[in-house]
Structure formats: structure tokens, C-alpha cells
Amino acid sequence: MSDQIVIHPLYAKLLEKFPESVVMDERQGFSGIVVQAITLLEVVKELRDNLGYDYLSSVTAVDDFPEERLEVIYHLFKSIGGAPVEIKVFLEREEPVVPSLTPMYPGAELQEREVWDLYGIRFDDHPDLRRILLWEGFEGFPLRKDWKEPLYEEDTKPFKSRWPEGKGERKELLNPYKDNVQYPREFDPNTLSGDVDQAMYKSLEYSDDPNSRVLQTDQMVVNIGPQHPSTHGVFRMTVVMEGETIVNLKPVVGYLHRNHEKIGERNTWLQNMPYTDRLDYLAPMSNNFGYAITVEKLMGIVPTERAEYIRVMMAELTRIASHTMTTGFLLNDLGAYFTPALYALEERELILDIFEEVAGSRMMVNYFRFGGVVRDVSPEVLKKIRHLVYNRLPRKIDELDKYISANEIVRIRCEGVGVLTADDAIAFSTTGPNLRASGVPYDVRRADPYSIYESLDFDVCTRDHGDVFDRYRVRIDEIHQSIRILKQVLDRIPEGPIMAGKPQYVAKVPAGEAYGRVEGPRGELGFYVVSDGKPNPKRYHVRAPSFINLTSLAQMCKGAKVADAVTILGAVDIVLGEVDR
Amino acid sequence: MAEIDLNNPEIDVPAELKQQIAVTTLDRIYNWSRSNSLWPMMFGLACCAIEMICTAASRYDLSRFGMEVMRPSPRQADVMIVSGTVTKKMVPQIVRLYNQMSEPKYVIAMGACASGGGPFKEGYNVVPGVDKFIPVDVYVAGCPPTPQALLHGLIILQKKIEGEHIPDTRWYKKCVVEAIPIPILGPDIIDPRHFELIKEETHKPLPVVEEVVEGGETA
Amino acid sequence: MNGIGIIKGLLITLKHFFDTYIFDFGRKQKNLTPDDKRGMVNSSGLFTIQYPEEVLAASEEFRVIPFLVYETAENGDHKYRCTSCGICAKVCPTQCIFITRKKDAETGKPIPSPEEFYIDTDKCMNCGFCAEYCPFDAIKMNHDFELATYVRGDTHIYNKEMLGKPVEYYAKIRPVNYALEVAEKAEKAEKATAA
């Protein structure tokens, strides 16, 4: 399947233009081009300016341990749709340095910081290269294969200590500190300053020069979060203000960094499925979907037809549940304390009831398997979904629309606030409703169709102003489109098996790599997996839409009032489980 | 129902007066009033926070228990629902919030993560249970616990409060309840209470340490 | 005119208030299905389920912590279906299942039965893989969510006795699955006798 990604004419063009520094990646199961670090900028510039690859989707790295090599991997797309071009840079493990793409694609900023944080790859000319998910002063680069966590047992699951001689004991009790910690040798805690935010405050670059200011007051640094009612979790932003106006803003994340990728590389392929539920916990079905299609790409299996319909049905239900909740909480952030959110949550509860019936759990569904889904949807449940889709949801969504969209306070607070132009939105790698609200009709379901979306009839909703109100409107429009999709799916769903082949708990995944992406409620959710033929992934990376959407937050907030920053953040719609992973 | 709860069973109140009069003890009326006006802190960490929001929303409705007033400020909150994975980066803030809460204060560890690390326990940035740092009153199992499970946990907490005895509770005693030292972020999370132990362990002679490491791996 | 939108919104809130009474009034006259209850798909207005007096019915597939199925012998012994094959321990994503295989006291050969069986409920993520891949239908997901406790200690590591539940309990909480299972077994037995 991975052969399909290869766009030979394009790579041929690049090979011709840069004969000395570009080669094809010729490993079995791999694709893309390998570029030397020194010519990376030239190649990318050619791709962006002359070949139309204006959208940088994902930046990540792979550790080839025990080989002395690190790879940096870029996925670039055209904002008009189509398959990606994949660029790799091979680096030495000692002191790896690669030029930063942030000046060219501002959307790379947070992703490059993440790679620096977890792999220790330095990006030259990066404007603000600091640790992002962990804190300054953390010992080691945790995603390197030779780095071991304090509760390390074995490289891969299943652990041998569980069977046949398993003793029910807590692993942390074997640690000398009775806790999940480890310290370097000769470490003396008394020498510690404990100030981990110094570099962050330094990077805020606010000026002391009174002539540059409008107001005759000092600029002020305010921390919002990590415990704040309107940061949607444990998100923190540090805001430099002049009076009430935001001069600069830095998102500070990592307060929910649960080591998803490190754990994912210890897990077997199947064991990652329930973990993906906990990424974007407002849209677990979409996460399952993304992971399932990525691994299926590698395995070369195709799910059965009925399974495809069930998958799409569940993904669209999730989208409705997630968008209603976002809308409700956007109003919360505006100060309409809880009433709209309560109405939105009622509809979400009914959708969660359906998830509980088909998958067994309200939120952590764990419903998809490679080649299908775990359980069939019974006729009674289908009837319930039909009832919801035809009778209740359209009525309720219209009601939501009616009492929010016309509300004068909502309009004053939202219109013209947090504007992001189309060019900026693409440059910042924004995805999902945020991108479409800026007028870019980019939806993975249409741009790079997966599953059965090609055969379904729906519109890509866009709006033109790129402000908070348009983001809200796009979400309401998308709910209507999802209902439209659901109606088609319910009418056409065929009978038949729900799994291709027999259910197996050991997935046989051949060596190779795959990048799969789906349009989740928050945008392009990508999974990049690398297999070396073993039962566990060698690399498991999540391209989290809400993490990357945060890159443009500072751009949107500059010049706005501090109360609007909360609204803008609410409209960007982040889920911390996905931001921090 | 509340009147019956309040009445001291040893004192017989005539049936016709039961709706109007309750003879009770100070402990009982004090605990009764406290347990029915618990204000949780509006503070979400991870997935469980969404279920906590659902619990507060219309279908499960915390206000039936007098808990609808979710306060974002720790000063005004009685109960802290630790709803989600406690990471090392977040734990200094959680301890700080706990210290800032005024007494009497209670902590509910909601879900597997807050109770004991949960599915992410083996991760390098995860604290295996919030009770490593702050005392926990009620553990609610589940990943995530459904809103009904959280309500059950809150009812259990109410029961605990109703069983309290004023002279015995730690915050009414003469001695000062000391604040919990705030963990420090260093090469890893450092609990200030373990300073000596850390110094001792990291300065152990090298060969011994190697043996310990090997032993730990094979165990 | 300014303010119309706000008034419209407030009217909708008011409508929700009256809906409660209209819904109650209408409910008395027709046959009630589960969907007509409060907090269900046909309800309007008040949406609350009065837990703990009234519990939202768990669907068949609902899952919390796993339990081990045993059959009760005539003398009252618990015969666990588990053969300690270890598939659940291998497939468990959080590796929270610990099994010690029983061994014959004299020969030291393994016996297909668990000596000890632990589940660390502080790690369990309720994913249901163990029940899904168990070839002997020996481990199933429980519906009981009322598990809040005051202390953690070792009580959160469930041992075999705490995990064990009679087969009748399983039949009660998962009737459809149980019926399927019985039918499958009967079919197998029939085939065996035919051969």
C-alpha cells in the first residue's frame, strides 16, 4: 500500500534538480526521499515555491538504535489536496543538527520543539528552541531507544513477569524511592534552583522602552493556567499585556504529557488501540479510526464493507458529539455560564449512550480492530441512531443555532475577534474547522479520501472571515453535514461480516512505514508508524491537530484584549490529552 | 428524609412532630450541613474531567447533593476532585492548590490514574497515584469512572464526613497542620521530603549501584 | 433591534422549563418505552436521572473491571473456568493481570488452573481485551461501577477470590452473550456426539 504514496514524477524532478544531495529511500516498505541536512532548505523551498507543497503537516523523528542514526521526517501536502511528499534527513546520534523549517513554515515551530525535547535533535535558526512537553532541566531525551524510564521492565510488552509466575505487586515499590523517579549519579538536590520557567519568560521579549508603548504603563506578564476554568484542562498561556491588550503570548504545554508515544512503542500493535481513545478524549472513535487505517495500510488489509459503514457512522456521531460540546463550552468561555453547555451535553449524552451500547464504554470505546470493528451494530441500535439522526438531533441543533447565532452579545464578542487569514492559516499548519473558517476548503475526507467518504455526498463547509464567530459557524455547519452523511450511511449500510479475517490478538505487520490521516473533529489527525516486522511498533507518532493548531494562537491573540484570548482559545478547541499526549 | 437523618435515634420524638422537630447532637447537625454543601473545585486534569463535567451537567446533576457550586478558586472549595492523570510537571501545582484550600478539605482521586497511575503508570512523566503527595479520602475506580460512579464516590465521601467527630478531626486540634512541601522539578520530580534519601542513593559507591540496577531489571 | 436575539434565547430556556411539565403530562397517557423515560431520547425538559434512587440501566456490553467466571460444584467448591493459559495477561495493554500457574505438587508439571490471579485495578483501563480474547470464556467484564473506597493499600489489587463471580451472575448481567455462548457449546457438543 505504501507504494501508492510514491509520486514518481515529482521525486524524479527533485532528483534531477538536486542530483548530489537527494536520493530515494530504497528500504523495503519505505518511501520518500532522503535529503542531506545542508540542502534541506533548498529542497523544501523548491517544493513550496515551485511545486505547490505549501502545507507542512508533520515533523517527527525516528531513532534507528542500535544503528548510530536518527531520522527527521517531514510530511508536506498541497493545500488543494493530494498525497504527501515525504522528506527524510539522516543524522548522527551524537549532536544531531538540522536546519529549522520554522522561518519557512511557522507551523513547524511547536513540532520542532517537540522533536528537540524528546529526541535531542537541535534545529538551527529555530526562534525559540526550548523543551516543550517536559521541563528545562529534565535528564535525557526520553524517546531515544536507549533511554529507560524509572519503571522500566522490558523493551516490549508482554512482560515476562506477568505469566506464568505473576505476582500481584506494584512495580514502583521496587524503586529505592518507592516512586516513579530516577536521578543521575552524584546528584545533589540541594544545588537545585527549581526555576524551570526562566527561559520561557526570557523568550517573551517584552520591551522596557517606554517610547514603544501606547499606554504610559509597564507591560505586565500574566500566567493563565494551568489551573484555570477556561483553559479547557491543564493548558497554560503566558501573556504579556499592555493595559488590557495582549502584546505577546506563549502557550506552555506538557502538563498532561502522559508519554503516549514511549508507551506506544513498548505496546504491541493491538494494545495501542485503547490508548488512542485517551488521546482526544472527546472524539475517541476518530482516534481509533486514524490508527486503524494507518496500520491497515501497513498490513495491506482492507476492512469489510459493513465495517467501513459502521466506522464512518461512528466517526460522524463522534464529530457531532464533539462539536456540540465545543460550541457549548465556547459559550461558557464567553460567560454564558453553563446553560448552553448543559443543552449541548444532553445531546452528547444520548450519543454516548449509543457508544456504550455498541462498544461498551461511554468514552473509551476501543471499538476498532485491524480489518473491521469489534462488534456488530444490532438492528435495535441502528433504529436508535436513525431516531436520533432523523428526529432529535436536527431539531436540537437548530435550537442551539437559533439561540446562539442571533444573540447580540455572542456576535459582538465573536465577530472580528482572533482573525486568521487564509495564508496565515496554511502557513501555521492549522487544520480542521479553524482552517476552513479562514476560507480554505481543506478537509481530509475530500482532499485525501479514505474509507467510503468518496462515495458519500457532503459539502466541505467554509467561511470567509476567519474569526471566532466563523469557527463556531463552521462547526454548526459541519454538524448538519454529519447528519447528512449519517442519513446516507443508515440508508445504505449493507449486511455482511464486520471483520476481514479472524480476530487475532497478534497483528502481523510487515516492515515498513505508513502515514495515515483522518479528519477528526479538530482537524487532520495523523499517525506515523514504522514497523520493523516485530510485534511492536518501532515508531509510533501522533500528529495531533489541536497541538499544531496552538501554533497560531499567539498570532490570533496579538492585539486582542485579554478577555478575548479566552474566547479565541475556546474557538481553537484544544483537547489537552491530544496536545500533550 | 433529612429530618429523619438528623434526629438522634435515642431520643423519641412523637410521630406527628417529626416533620417539625429534630433533636440531635452538635456533631451530627454540623456534619450533616457540611456534607450537604460540599463545594468541589473546578479543576480538571484529563479524560476523567469530561466525566466530571457530565456529572455536573443536567443528566446526573450534582446540585441534587448540594455540590453544584464548582469553584475555580481553591480558597472557596471543600473538595478537590483529582480527575485524571497526575503528571510530574503538574504535581507541584496540585500540591500548591491543595495547600491553598481552606480546611476542612477533602480529596477524591477520580479514576485509575489519580488513584495509582492508571494505564500510563509506566510513563516517565506520570506520578503513580496522587496519594504519593497529598492525602486522599476517597478513591473512585474506573477508567474513566462513569458519572454515576463518581456520584457514588461523592456519596461515600458524604458518609465519611457524617461519621466525623469534631474533637477528633485533625483541623480542630491545637497543633498546626503543616503545609505539604511543594515538589521541585529537577532532573526528575523531587519530593522535598526525600532529599536525604536521594542524596544517599545517588552517592552510593558505583559498583553497588550497578548490582542494584541489574537486580532490579531481572526481578 | 438590539436585544431581540437575547430575548429569543431566553424564550428557549423558558420553553425548556415548561417542556418538563408538558412532557410529564403527556407521559401519563401512553405506553412507556425505555426511551420515554427522563433523560432518554424522547424526553424533553428536565433531563435528570435520580441516581442513587434510580440507576441508569447499563447496556449489555458495558464494562468496568473484569471478573473471573466460576461454576459452583455440588459440594460448594468454586470451579474456575480459567486454565491460566496467559492470553489475557499477554494481551492486556497495561499489563495489569498477574497469573501464577498451578503446579502439580509432586511432579512440578503445570496444571491448567490458576494458583493465583491478580488484577491491579489501579492500572486497569477497562478496555475489555482480556474478555474479548479469552478462548475459554473465563474472564468477563463486570457491570458493577460502585467501587469507591476509602483506602488503597493492597485492596486495589484484586485477587482470585475478589475477582470470582458465579456463572449465574454472568448470565444475569449479559443475557444475550450468555445465550450465544450456551448455544455455541451445545452445537459443539452435538457435533462431538455425531462424530
Side-chain angles (χ1 to χ4, degrees):
Chain A
M1 284 293 280
S2 53
D3 292 352
Q4 285 187 3
I5 300 172
V6 182
I7 317 157
H8 287 294
L10 173 83
Y11 288 140
K13 258 185 214 166
L14 288 173
L15 289 173
E16 199 180 310
K17 182 128 194 200
F18 306 98
E20 276 156 25
S21 54
V22 175
V23 287
M24 295 295 297
D25 188 354
E26 277 162 352
R27 289 171 292 174
Q28 181 70 35
F30 289 77
S31 60
I33 46 171
V34 182
V35 180
Q36 282 175 8
I38 36 165
T39 43
L40 176 70
L41 287 178
E42 283 173 49
V43 174
V44 174
K45 202 167 166 22
E46 169 77 17
L47 275 167
R48 187 188 69 166
D49 295 344
N50 298 336
L51 298 167
Y53 285 84
D54 51 356
Y55 186 85
L56 177 74
S57 172
S58 134
V59 180
T60 186
V62 175
D63 185 3
D64 285 332
F65 189 76
E67 271 179 76
E68 286 296 308
R69 188 175 69 188
L70 288 169
E71 303 171 19
V72 185
I73 289 144
Y74 303 90
H75 285 91
L76 295 156
F77 288 89
K78 288 179 183 173
S79 61
I80 51 167
V85 51
E86 194 180 346
I87 301 171
K88 293 172 190 174
V89 180
F90 289 166
L91 302 166
E92 296 286 312
R93 270 169 76 87
E94 294 291 319
E95 303 244 331
V97 184
V98 69
S100 166
L101 291 192
T102 309
M104 222 182 282
Y105 295 95
E109 187 190 341
L110 296 187
Q111 300 192 64
E112 285 183 344
R113 274 178 68 190
E114 184 194 314
V115 173
W116 156 245
D117 190 0
L118 303 177
Y119 279 98
I121 295 171
R122 190 167 279 288
F123 289 87
D124 257 355
D125 294 331
H126 190 284
D128 184 20
L129 197 67
R130 286 177 291 119
R131 288 215 179 231
I132 180 162
L133 297 175
L134 295 158
W135 57 89
E136 291 297 327
F138 185 83
E139 180 80 10
F141 301 108
L143 273 189
R144 289 199 178 190
K145 290 281 182 194
D146 50 351
W147 190 91
K148 281 166 188 165
E149 60 269 38
L151 296 187
Y152 172 82
E153 280 187 66
E154 280 169 53
D155 271 344
T156 56
K157 288 175 186 174
F159 299 143
K160 290 188 185 69
S161 63
R162 300 299 193 265
W163 178 86
E165 294 291 325
K167 295 269 175 276
E169 59 192 2
R170 296 211 167 89
K171 179 72 181 146
E172 78 264 22
L173 299 180
L174 302 175
N175 188 298
Y177 312 101
K178 307 273 180 270
D179 201 351
N180 182 7
V181 287
Q182 63 188 2
Y183 304 101
R185 293 240 358 112
E186 307 277 317
F187 168 66
D188 185 357
N190 293 314
T191 56
L192 212 69
S193 75
D195 188 5
V196 290
D197 285 339
Q198 225 166 27
M200 190 259 301
Y201 289 125
K202 214 174 259 174
S203 74
L204 277 168
E205 31 179 90
Y206 56 100
S207 67
D208 287 330
D209 178 19
N211 298 326
S212 70
R213 298 185 204 134
V214 186
L215 295 171
Q216 294 302 311
T217 52
D218 278 347
Q219 289 189 337
M220 192 163 52
V221 179
V222 175
N223 277 294
I224 306 177
Q227 194 274 115
H228 188 276
S230 53
T231 50
H232 296 235
V234 284
F235 176 68
R236 168 177 168 199
M237 39 188 180
T238 311
V239 184
V240 183
M241 294 195 305
E242 197 178 298
E244 286 265 306
T245 312
I246 294 171
V247 180
N248 202 352
L249 180 146
K250 286 267 173 203
V252 185
V253 300
Y255 293 97
L256 191 57
H257 180 45
R258 305 193 273 196
N259 333 117
H260 195 91
E261 290 175 11
K262 185 82 177 176
I263 294 174
E265 283 161 26
R266 300 243 187 273
N267 283 350
T268 64
W269 292 96
L270 183 70
Q271 282 170 350
N272 272 334
M273 191 60 85
Y275 276 97
T276 60
D277 292 333
R278 285 151 181 85
L279 274 174
D280 176 353
Y281 37 73
L282 291 180
M285 289 286 188
S286 294
N287 306 341
N288 276 195
F289 205 167
Y291 182 60
I293 65 165
T294 311
V295 179
E296 277 161 10
K297 249 186 205 177
L298 256 182
M299 292 169 80
I301 53 173
V302 182
T304 61
E305 210 186 344
R306 185 173 171 88
E308 294 272 33
Y309 275 86
I310 294 175
R311 284 175 170 196
V312 169
M313 193 159 69
M314 293 303 152
E316 295 306 321
L317 280 174
T318 312
R319 195 183 312 279
I320 296 173
S322 170
H323 279 348
T324 47
M325 185 137 173
T326 308
T327 311
F329 279 89
L330 174 66
L331 270 281
N332 243 18
D333 293 341
L334 284 171
Y337 189 68
F338 234 42
T339 308
L342 284 182
Y343 292 170
L345 280 169
E346 280 179 15
E347 308 320 303
R348 182 171 177 268
E349 284 289 334
L350 293 170
I351 294 173
L352 294 192
D353 276 356
I354 288 170
F355 287 170
E356 190 184 293
E357 237 160 291
V358 290
S361 182
R362 288 155 48 85
M363 277 169 74
M364 305 310 170
V365 290
N366 187 18
Y367 187 56
F368 289 38
R369 296 287 177 274
F370 309 130
V373 292
V374 59
R375 206 171 283 117
D376 205 351
V377 181
S378 66
E380 295 88 68
V381 177
L382 277 180
K383 214 175 130 198
K384 270 191 182 175
I385 299 174
R386 190 176 278 273
H387 181 57
L388 204 62
V389 165
Y390 275 93
N391 300 330
R392 184 162 173 127
L393 282 177
R395 184 160 50 87
K396 289 286 174 182
I397 301 302
D398 277 344
E399 196 182 279
L400 192 77
D401 195 5
K402 219 195 254 166
Y403 74 76
I404 296 173
S405 306
N407 190 307
E408 285 83 358
I409 302 173
V410 173
R411 297 195 80 116
I412 294 165
R413 288 287 312 271
C414 292
E415 278 175 340
V417 172
V419 177
L420 195 66
T421 62
D423 287 343
D424 276 352
I426 294 172
F428 277 105
S429 304
T430 319
T431 63
N434 295 316
L435 180 63
R436 292 190 284 276
S438 296
V440 184
Y442 187 81
D443 185 322
V444 180
R445 291 175 293 175
R446 280 279 182 256
D448 191 6
Y450 54 94
S451 196
I452 53 162
Y453 279 111
E454 213 158 17
S455 67
L456 293 169
D457 194 21
F458 67 96
D459 297 333
V460 176
C461 314
T462 56
R463 295 268 161 171
D464 303 326
H465 304 100
D467 56 4
V468 171
F469 192 72
D470 277 3
R471 279 172 216 136
Y472 150 73
R473 288 297 320 177
V474 164
R475 291 205 173 90
I476 294 283
D477 293 347
E478 274 184 19
I479 296 176
H480 285 299
Q481 293 304 323
S482 287
I483 292 175
R484 198 169 147 197
I485 294 174
L486 278 169
K487 283 179 180 169
Q488 296 169 43
V489 169
L490 282 168
D491 285 344
R492 286 193 223 158
I493 183 164
E495 290 297 322
I498 47 154
M499 272 291 270
K502 271 194 171 175
Q504 275 177 325
Y505 66 91
V506 186
K508 287 190 184 65
V509 182
E513 62 168 359
Y515 182 71
R517 51 187 195 143
V518 293
E519 182 74 27
R522 273 153 205 84
E524 178 192 330
L525 173 69
F527 285 87
Y528 175 71
V529 293
V530 179
S531 163
D532 49 4
K534 290 189 187 133
N536 309 68
K538 176 179 160 194
R539 176 78 178 110
Y540 164 70
H541 173 68
V542 186
R543 186 250 187 237
S546 36
F547 176 62
I548 294 158
N549 284 349
L550 273 181
T551 323
S552 59
L553 185 68
Q555 170 80 11
M556 285 189 265
C557 286
K558 272 178 197 167
K561 297 277 181 279
V562 69
D564 291 335
V566 168
T567 321
I568 294 167
L569 182 71
V572 169
D573 184 19
I574 54 167
V575 170
L576 264 296
E578 192 178 68
V579 172
D580 296 344
R581 278 153 290 144
Chain B
M1 189 186 143
E3 299 86 6
I4 299 158
D5 276 344
L6 261 181
N7 218 336
N8 193 331
E10 286 146 34
I11 297 161
D12 198 26
V13 177
E16 65 269 27
L17 286 179
K18 273 211 170 131
Q19 293 301 310
Q20 284 90 36
I21 294 176
V23 182
T24 182
T25 57
L26 181 63
D27 258 358
R28 205 139 172 188
I29 191 158
Y30 179 65
N31 289 335
W32 171 81
S33 44
R34 269 193 318 134
S35 67
N36 285 303
S37 66
L38 278 175
W39 289 7
M41 187 151 81
M42 192 165 160
F43 158 68
L45 287 176
C47 337
C48 289
I50 306 299
E51 290 295 60
M52 188 177 75
I53 292 168
C54 289
T55 316
S58 38
R59 202 181 210 179
Y60 303 98
D61 198 6
L62 269 181
S63 54
R64 295 181 293 129
F65 303 89
M67 298 174 190
E68 77 277 29
V69 201
M70 285 223 175
R71 298 274 96 169
S73 160
R75 299 281 185 208
Q76 302 161 352
D78 302 305
V79 52
M80 181 192 215
I81 303 177
V82 184
S83 53
T85 316
V86 181
T87 59
K88 290 177 185 171
K89 201 172 175 180
M90 190 63 197
V91 80
Q93 278 82 340
I94 292 174
V95 173
R96 200 167 277 148
L97 286 169
Y98 179 78
N99 285 340
Q100 285 174 358
M101 279 166 74
S102 50
E103 287 165 336
K105 51 187 170 185
Y106 302 93
V107 177
I108 292 182
M110 180 186 180
C113 286
S115 303
F120 297 95
K121 183 177 177 176
E122 64 205 88
Y124 48 86
N125 193 24
V126 176
V127 174
V130 73
D131 55 1
K132 295 263 178 235
F133 291 94
I134 58 177
V136 174
D137 295 284
V138 172
Y139 299 89
V140 184
C143 186
T146 58
Q148 294 186 7
L150 177 60
L151 282 179
H152 179 253
L154 286 164
I155 293 168
I156 291 267
L157 178 68
Q158 283 186 330
K159 281 193 185 135
K160 179 173 185 170
I161 295 171
E162 276 162 19
E164 271 175 5
H165 186 43
I166 294 175
D168 288 353
T169 20
R170 69 186 149 105
W171 32 79
Y172 298 121
K173 286 186 182 164
K174 283 263 164 63
C175 61
V176 183
V177 182
E178 283 200 11
I180 292 166
I182 290 160
I184 307 165
L185 293 172
D188 208 325
I189 191 82
I190 298 163
D191 191 337
R193 293 172 290 195
H194 293 165
F195 261 33
E196 290 309 309
L197 177 69
I198 291 166
K199 231 173 149 180
E200 195 181 304
E201 285 288 334
T202 51
H203 286 80
K204 266 186 187 167
L206 203 62
V208 180
V209 169
E210 268 183 354
E211 269 177 34
V212 168
V213 168
E214 279 171 20
E217 276 177 9
T218 49
Chain C
M1 201 184 85
N2 264 356
I4 296 283
I6 297 173
I7 290 168
K8 269 187 192 164
L10 290 174
L11 281 178
I12 287 180
T13 329
L14 195 68
K15 187 176 154 284
H16 268 252
F17 173 73
F18 284 115
D19 271 353
T20 309
Y21 298 102
I22 297 168
F23 175 70
D24 268 353
F25 186 71
R27 245 187 350 167
K28 279 177 192 143
Q29 282 141 43
K30 58 184 175 190
N31 294 336
L32 290 185
T33 63
D35 283 349
D36 292 328
K37 280 192 178 167
R38 280 233 173 281
M40 288 304 175
V41 69
N42 288 339
S43 78
S44 55
L46 192 67
F47 203 68
T48 311
I49 289 165
Q50 302 287 337
Y51 182 85
E53 286 83 19
E54 167 198 18
V55 181
L56 183 66
S59 58
E60 166 130 6
E61 297 298 341
F62 182 58
R63 40 175 214 254
V64 190
I65 306 281
F67 67 92
L68 290 174
V69 183
Y70 63 73
E71 267 136 272
T72 319
E74 276 172 20
N75 60 359
D77 277 359
H78 294 168
K79 199 179 164 296
Y80 285 86
R81 284 184 178 180
C82 178
T83 61
S84 77
C85 66
I87 285 179
C88 51
K90 281 177 209 154
V91 80
C92 176
T94 65
Q95 297 288 296
C96 70
I97 301 180
F98 302 78
I99 307 170
T100 310
R101 198 161 44 185
K102 208 175 237 175
K103 273 183 188 161
D104 196 301
E106 284 166 21
T107 58
K109 276 185 184 167
I111 300 172
S113 176
E115 179 76 48
E116 290 168 70
F117 198 108
Y118 298 102
I119 291 181
D120 187 348
T121 55
D122 282 344
K123 283 183 87 181
C124 175
M125 71 199 307
N126 313 158
C127 66
F129 272 156
C130 47
E132 195 180 325
Y133 291 105
C134 178
F136 303 99
D137 289 312
I139 187 165
K140 296 287 166 195
M141 302 306 281
N142 204 342
H143 282 186
D144 184 17
F145 56 81
E146 292 175 335
L147 300 166
T149 52
Y150 294 128
V151 283
R152 180 149 78 105
D154 282 340
T155 57
H156 278 208
I157 299 180
Y158 286 17
N159 59 18
K160 200 168 78 175
E161 282 68 40
M162 289 160 88
L163 289 167
K165 289 268 190 292
V167 90
E168 293 76 31
Y169 177 78
Y170 168 48
K172 199 184 97 197
I173 63 166
R174 288 170 188 265
V176 178
N177 278 315
Y178 182 73
L180 277 177
E181 201 186 295
V182 170
E184 212 170 85
K185 268 187 191 159
E187 198 178 306
K188 256 188 197 168
E190 210 169 82
K191 261 186 198 164
T193 48

